Amino acid sequence: LPYILDNVLAEGKGVPFIAVLNNGLVRGPDDRDIDDFTGIEGVITRDCRNLVESKYRTKTDKWSRAIAGLSYGSMQACYIGFRHPELFGSVGSFTYLRRRNIDNTYAANPHLNILRDAEKFQKHYKLLFRSMGGEERHMNEFLEDDAFLAESGIDVLDSHVRRIYPGQTHTWNCWRRALYDFAQMVFR
């Protein structure tokens, strides 16, 4: 991350920003993933945000904050980012948009309600960046997310950016490309 962001700045393709990384992979006692994102939500929206904004010179408006994640973290970023349009003006999803292996209806996922109305979404977010490796085994889910966004017209908004990286899979090489592209667009 530091090298990619330094290169984006050196190339004059982005604006300086503070990047904060949290480990959102919470494990249960039996070492399985916990799909309840409320714990990491509080860490990011309350604890981490308050710490960073009290220790560093930051802009504290939503347009100066973004949330992004890769793989499992991309589901968390969307969950938290869509639940808190008052805090985040950009969302980056490096693989997934919606949560997997659960009921993906609006009723079961109220954070997705922000995606029902393209005009409202456009007012709340400057950027929704979505990416996937072209050889990704989860491509069907990515295409399902495409259709999901097309239902409300979000797929054609200027704020929606979709990238597929040919020949890439669910690996760091793909996510490095996504970060490089995202870093050029965020906070513009």
Side-chain angles (χ1 to χ4, degrees):
L1 181 132
Y3 301 113
I4 292 168
L5 297 182
D6 283 349
N7 285 331
V8 168
L9 292 176
E11 294 164 0
K13 294 181 177 178
V15 297
F17 62 87
I18 297 171
V20 179
L21 284 68
N22 286 278
N23 182 356
L25 190 56
V26 179
R27 299 277 184 185
D30 57 0
D31 205 34
R32 287 186 297 161
D33 294 345
I34 296 176
D35 286 327
D36 178 1
F37 295 160
T38 56
I40 190 66
E41 177 182 12
V43 167
I44 290 173
T45 61
R46 185 189 57 246
D47 305 335
C48 184
R49 182 175 60 90
N50 290 339
L51 176 72
V52 169
E53 291 177 358
S54 70
K55 298 283 184 187
Y56 300 95
R57 284 183 316 147
T58 63
K59 296 178 181 178
T60 58
D61 63 290
K62 71 176 264 156
W63 303 115
S64 300
R65 274 193 223 102
I67 187 166
L70 56 94
S71 189
Y72 190 78
S74 68
M75 292 184 286
Q76 292 174 328
C78 290
Y79 176 84
I80 296 166
F82 296 155
R83 280 178 52 86
H84 294 281
E86 78 283 3
L87 295 179
F88 301 101
S90 296
V91 176
S93 172
F94 308 164
T95 305
Y96 294 115
L97 174 71
R98 296 178 296 163
R99 297 167 69 183
R100 298 293 166 223
N101 303 320
I102 64 166
D103 177 2
N104 262 318
T105 63
Y106 288 111
N109 297 278
H111 70 284
L112 297 176
N113 283 322
I114 194 81
L115 300 171
R116 284 185 155 177
D117 182 340
E119 187 175 318
K120 180 179 177 183
F121 185 86
Q122 187 80 6
K123 288 179 185 174
H124 285 289
Y125 298 95
K126 283 186 181 177
L127 177 63
L128 170 58
F129 178 92
R130 298 175 47 241
S131 66
M132 176 71 80
E135 304 302 316
E136 174 73 62
R137 66 183 169 95
H138 302 287
M139 183 55 81
N140 285 343
E141 288 94 342
F142 190 76
L143 297 175
E144 287 173 11
D145 286 344
D146 283 347
F148 180 74
L149 294 174
E151 288 176 14
S152 61
I154 289 176
D155 63 323
V156 297
L157 295 176
D158 291 339
S159 60
H160 177 253
V161 175
R162 177 187 184 272
R163 293 278 194 275
I164 294 181
Y165 300 104
Q168 297 300 311
T169 62
H170 202 76
T171 65
W172 289 107
N173 284 335
C174 183
W175 299 321
R176 286 181 187 109
R177 286 173 172 87
L179 175 61
Y180 180 77
D181 289 345
F182 179 74
Q184 295 176 58
M185 298 173 202
V186 72
F187 308 124
R188 293 281 190 165

